[in-house]
Amino acid sequence: MRDILDIQKQLLPDLLDTLKERYTILHHIMVSGIVGRRTLAVSLNTTERILRAEVDFLKAQGLLEVDASGMKISEAGRQLLEKIEPLVKDLFGLTELEERIRAHFGLKQVVIVPGDSDTSPHTKKELGRAGAAVLRKYVSQDEVIAVTGGSTMAEVAYHLSSSTSLKGSWFVPARGGLGESVELQANTIASTMAKKTGAKYRLLHVPDHLGEEAYQTLMQDSTILEIIQFIRKARIVIHGIGEAMVMARRRKVDAETTSSLQDDGALAEAFGYYFDRGGKILHKMPTVGLRIEDIQEMDCVIGVAGGKSKGEAIAAVLRFGREDILVIDEAAAQVIVQTLTS
């Protein structure tokens, strides 16, 4: 396959460019669900006139359905995208990036989607779709699955659907709430994932950031303790990765601790732990939920994050060495690869 691609690049470069363009159009429509032509043209940074010709071709091939509400992908189009995804990853150079990162950090699998989540809402949606596909792949019957909060995890939840393997499972929040938008909190995302897949869920109605005294008091409450013990039975966790200073602000970390984190070179945050460039834990928040020792004993740890701005943070968490599966976007992957030689 690689030899054929190399020959086509030399003899028929226009053919490969057309393939990329039509794949990108189909893929955007699939991830969007239903989309209008004007909206799609803006998203693809093209004109409606150019897009109209491509849409007419794809419709004639039976790959798209068009009605008054907009365009949506047909079942034939969906099947075609699944078949050619490995080929397109080769064309975009993503397969080589995936293997390089996987081999360097000793991961089971790396999945890279095209684009930059920092600048493209579509890329973040695709990150969610890829994260949902990975979760379905690795879950087995009757699992307890812990999930964190954040906009990327909300996209993963959105792209989940009813699944036989997930129906007997439980979704639980990996930690308490951050006091931010309700739809981005771990509780909401866990319940959404359960409802979308036909699974069950349990919730943890406590703040994520607690003082030591409040933490000790809560841990003596029998109801809270029982839920926490259930959460710590999780064998799979799917989580986001944040930039240290961004998460410190979201968590309303006090000025003294924030200054200390900056001085120590904190780059990343995950599960309430802050990491430096080398993956060393610099600070732990007194958070109710999963502890690092719980994560270390899990069967499968899935990280989903994207954006050029998070590349170094993702690399820092990878150096901590507890990830099994990584789902990222192309922009983050490029930064991660740069850190391997810096």
Side-chain angles (χ1 to χ4, degrees), residues 76-116:
R78 192 179 302 276
Q79 291 176 9
L80 177 66
L81 285 179
E82 290 178 1
K83 289 178 182 177
I84 68 172
E85 186 172 6
L87 170 65
V88 173
K89 281 201 167 190
D90 268 346
L91 292 177
F92 282 108
L94 300 183
T95 304
E96 185 179 343
L97 268 180
E98 288 174 343
E99 179 54 25
R100 187 171 177 186
I101 294 171
R102 188 206 65 76
H104 182 87
F105 292 104
L107 304 173
K108 291 180 182 177
Q109 183 181 7
V110 174
V111 176
I112 300 175
V113 303
D116 184 349

Side-chain angles (χ1 to χ4, degrees), residues 209 242-270 272-277 280-285:
H209 181 31
E243 297 171 76
M245 292 303 105
V246 172
M247 293 306 299
R249 287 194 296 272
R250 284 175 60 188
R251 281 204 161 96
K252 298 179 174 59
V253 174
D254 63 84
E256 183 180 350
T257 303
T258 300
S259 178
S260 176
L261 286 171
Q262 286 179 319
D263 292 343
D264 292 340
L267 272 183
E269 185 277 341
Y273 292 81
Y274 290 81
F275 304 84
D276 68 8
R277 187 179 301 276
K280 176 186 175 184
I281 294 175
L282 298 174
H283 182 72
K284 171 193 172 184
M285 303 298 294

Side-chain angles (χ1 to χ4, degrees), residues 69 124 127 152 266 268 294 296 324:
S69 62
K124 179 161 278 192
L127 205 58
T152 303
D294 301 316
Q296 290 169 334
D324 295 304

Side-chain angles (χ1 to χ4, degrees), residues 121-134:
H122 169 80
T123 300
K124 179 161 278 192
K125 289 178 184 293
E126 172 59 5
L127 205 58
R129 188 193 69 84
V134 163

Side-chain angles (χ1 to χ4, degrees), residues 186-293:
N187 268 339
T188 304
I189 292 170
S191 65
T192 300
M193 287 181 169
K195 291 169 185 175
K196 296 271 281 188
T197 59
K200 296 166 281 188
Y201 65 92
R202 296 195 67 176
L203 304 181
L204 181 61
H205 295 294
V206 298
D208 186 58
H209 181 31
L210 297 168
E212 187 61 32
E213 185 177 344
Y215 174 79
Q216 294 299 336
T217 300
L218 272 175
M219 293 301 287
Q220 293 178 32
D221 182 283
S222 59
T223 303
I224 297 293
L225 188 59
E226 189 270 330
I227 294 173
I228 292 171
Q229 288 173 341
F230 186 83
I231 290 171
R232 289 175 179 170
K233 290 179 181 177
R235 306 312 305 163
I236 292 179
V237 60
I238 181 165
H239 70 96
I241 296 169
E243 297 171 76
M245 292 303 105
V246 172
M247 293 306 299
R249 287 194 296 272
R250 284 175 60 188
R251 281 204 161 96
K252 298 179 174 59
V253 174
D254 63 84
E256 183 180 350
T257 303
T258 300
S259 178
S260 176
L261 286 171
Q262 286 179 319
D263 292 343
D264 292 340
L267 272 183
E269 185 277 341
F271 308 108
Y273 292 81
Y274 290 81
F275 304 84
D276 68 8
R277 187 179 301 276
K280 176 186 175 184
I281 294 175
L282 298 174
H283 182 72
K284 171 193 172 184
M285 303 298 294
T287 178
V288 174
L290 291 180
R291 305 159 299 183
I292 211 73
E293 53 264 39

